[in-house]
Amino acid sequence: MTDTMQMPRGFEDLAGLAAEWAGPSENARSEVRWNASAADFKAFYDAMMPRLPDVLAELGRTTLEEMDIARTNLFSLAAAFAEAAPHHELYGGSSEVPFSFSARRFVPGHGDACSWATDFR
Amino acid sequence: MNDLSDAAQRPGAEAFSHLGRSLEEIRSELGVDPVSVQSIRDPAVYELEREKIFKRTWLKVATDQELPEKGDYKVKELPVADASVLIVRGKDGKVRAFHNVCTHRGNKVVPTSGFETFGKSRANVLACRFHGWVFSTDGPLRSVPMESGFGKLDKACLGLREIACDSWEGFVFINFADPPEQSLAEYLGDFGKLFSGYPYNEATTAFRYSTVLECNWKVALYAFSEGYHVPTIHAGSLPGFRGIEHSDFKLIGPHASSTIYGLGMESAESTGQFAGVLHANPDQGPRPDLLPPGINPKRRPEFQFELPNIFPNFLIHLAAGCGYPGIAFFTHQFWPLDHGRTLWEGINYFRPARNAAERVAQFHINALHRNAWLEDTGTMEDTFTGIRSGAIDNMLLMDQEFMIRHADRSQHAYLAR
Ligand code: FES
Ligand SMILES: [Fe+2]
């Protein structure tokens, strides 16, 4: 990932967050999440949560097939937030789910697939 | 609570009222005594289970949607039956199962990596890489390099070795018995009817997880077979989940089912927003109308999902988007690898996203559910270690753990045959 990512018009301010968090696949995003601290989760949450309605509205206007690079980057950022938010809201900032099995031992069948693929499984 | 024979039922529900059991009926039919953990602890029982359960019952091994086109195949490694199973859609569109074993000298026809291997045969043939024998996807041996060098070769008898295979509602099952004692429809019996009619095949976006657990397969199965643990083990991932009720108990031959009711799945602020995206789409949103009539027969709005146990190792949790937002259904399966090792597979099924926001929302819900599964699986290896230690000889089972009691009974019935 480069340190700035192209974003749709009106979402340029999220480019830095995307460079930090966005990944094209569940495995790529999990790697970022597993290395995040409580402060990282809080910063991500505080920056992203107020923008979430706009981000979801923007993504709601495009199908998975017709996303351009900027929207794909926004999608990957939103997917990262979708997966990271519970760590701030529910797990006390821990990168692990408290009192649980090691997430690293769960193998997602779709782990390396692009998260926007339409024949995704 | 468990009364399914009431006037305010959905039309068609009465056909299933004979499956319903009150708590009193459950207790009197299944008893309230402690259940021995010997069958979990004893490796000799596992050897019997392989022969008398896993080689004689119908086992779900694939779904229709995994094999959408002619020539699509899946290979499933099943150490419990010492088998590598090839499930393939033939030229005629029919799904068949074969031993993934070349009839020349026994090599795998399809090389595999891991427990599941997917592929596509473009010309509807599969060639063994060892010496090049070629089989068609419906089984027969097609060609043999240097055939005359064998002196005599009856190709007609050298097709792939077929395994009984049938499907129900898009779930593909096999049975290693030759021939099986019952058809798949007979084996599923009223369970097949109770769960039929839901458009399973429309939920084509599948998030699949697996892991190898160092525990007996029944420890893993049992941890997913009851609602008693929800308020405690899931306190971290489902803090707002309240009013949990596990009821509508049903006994269905070797199978069983029950219902989880509750509220509060969307308590976190981000979850509320993602759920809103999914619920704005009538296809993703709660669709209690799509539930078969015997499930949630009184149309209670707190319905979350139906929690069945399909003997011996398969669960289909049917939710119709009513529980975890957007999840049509999810399945669990527990494959013994050895007495003390189990491959667990959990799959969340959603209907396809109409737009990019819905896919993102699906990732959120999927992550919440995956994380709940991490809490579930977190108990399993410790439980097995505890049982193996000899410190306890019995499990004490409360009403909501009735499916464990019932599964134990079904296992004993099969082992006694
Ligand atoms: S073992 Fe398959 S061709 Fe020889
Ligand atoms: Fe659970």
Side-chain angles (χ1 to χ4, degrees), chain B residues 384-410:
Chain B
F384 187 53
T385 303
I387 286 172
R388 275 202 313 188
S389 74
I392 61 166
D393 289 323
N394 296 304
M395 307 182 268
L396 300 158
L397 300 172
M398 56 91 82
D399 293 330
Q400 293 181 25
E401 294 168 296
F402 83 99
M403 286 203 294
I404 299 174
R405 200 182 279 286
H406 184 254
D408 179 75
R409 286 212 167 189
S410 299

Side-chain angles (χ1 to χ4, degrees), chain A:
Chain A
M1 268 163 275
T2 55
D3 52 355
T4 56
M5 289 176 95
Q6 195 188 332
M7 301 302 274
R9 192 186 311 253
F11 296 92
E12 294 88 347
D13 58 308
L14 300 178
L17 276 183
E20 216 181 313
W21 291 91
S25 65
E26 181 168 325
N27 282 347
R29 295 188 299 272
S30 290
E31 207 53 56
V32 176
R33 221 174 46 250
W34 292 336
N35 290 301
S37 67
D40 295 334
F41 283 117
K42 180 173 174 6
F44 190 18
Y45 191 85
D46 290 347
M48 191 70 181
M49 197 60 200
R51 304 298 308 280
L52 188 58
D54 288 345
V55 168
L56 291 174
E58 174 72 14
L59 293 174
R61 286 189 284 271
T62 176
T63 64
L64 294 166
E65 293 93 328
E66 62 196 11
M67 286 196 294
D68 55 16
I69 289 177
R71 282 193 184 79
T72 303
N73 290 339
L74 184 66
F75 171 88
S76 296
L77 173 65
F81 182 71
E83 293 162 337
H87 292 265
H88 178 73
E89 289 177 323
L90 303 175
Y91 315 146
S94 169
S95 62
E96 310 247 328
V97 179
F99 306 107
S100 79
F101 194 72
S102 166
R104 287 170 177 78
R105 287 178 59 188
F106 263 26
V107 181
H110 53 281
D112 290 324
C114 281
S115 294
W116 58 87
T118 47
D119 61 347
F120 169 92
R121 69 172 171 211

Side-chain angles (χ1 to χ4, degrees), chain A residues 26 82 89 105 107 109 115, chain B residues 208-211 270 359 364 381:
Chain A
E26 181 168 325
E89 289 177 323
R105 287 178 59 188
V107 181
S115 294
Chain B
R208 167 194 306 269
Y209 295 89
S210 65
T211 195
S270 71
R359 174 63 69 81
H364 177 74
E381 294 178 346

Side-chain angles (χ1 to χ4, degrees), chain B residues 89-165:
Chain B
R89 191 178 293 280
K91 250 202 324 260
D92 56 358
K94 188 175 171 207
V95 174
R96 296 178 180 81
F98 302 99
H99 284 281
N100 180 27
V101 174
C102 179
T103 51
H104 174 219
R105 272 168 51 203
N107 187 35
K108 280 183 177 172
V109 177
V110 177
T112 56
S113 59
F115 294 108
E116 292 194 334
T117 304
F118 291 89
K120 185 178 206 64
S121 149
R122 305 219 174 262
N124 271 287
V125 289
L126 295 162
C128 176
R129 295 163 62 89
F130 201 168
H131 313 92
W133 284 31
V134 176
F135 301 88
S136 65
T137 49
D138 56 357
L141 175 60
R142 269 292 142 78
S143 68
V144 172
M146 301 171 66
E147 187 178 340
S148 60
F150 285 91
K152 180 172 152 229
L153 198 65
D154 186 358
K155 293 225 296 289
C157 305
L158 289 169
L160 294 171
R161 299 302 186 225
E162 194 156 1
I163 301 167
C165 179

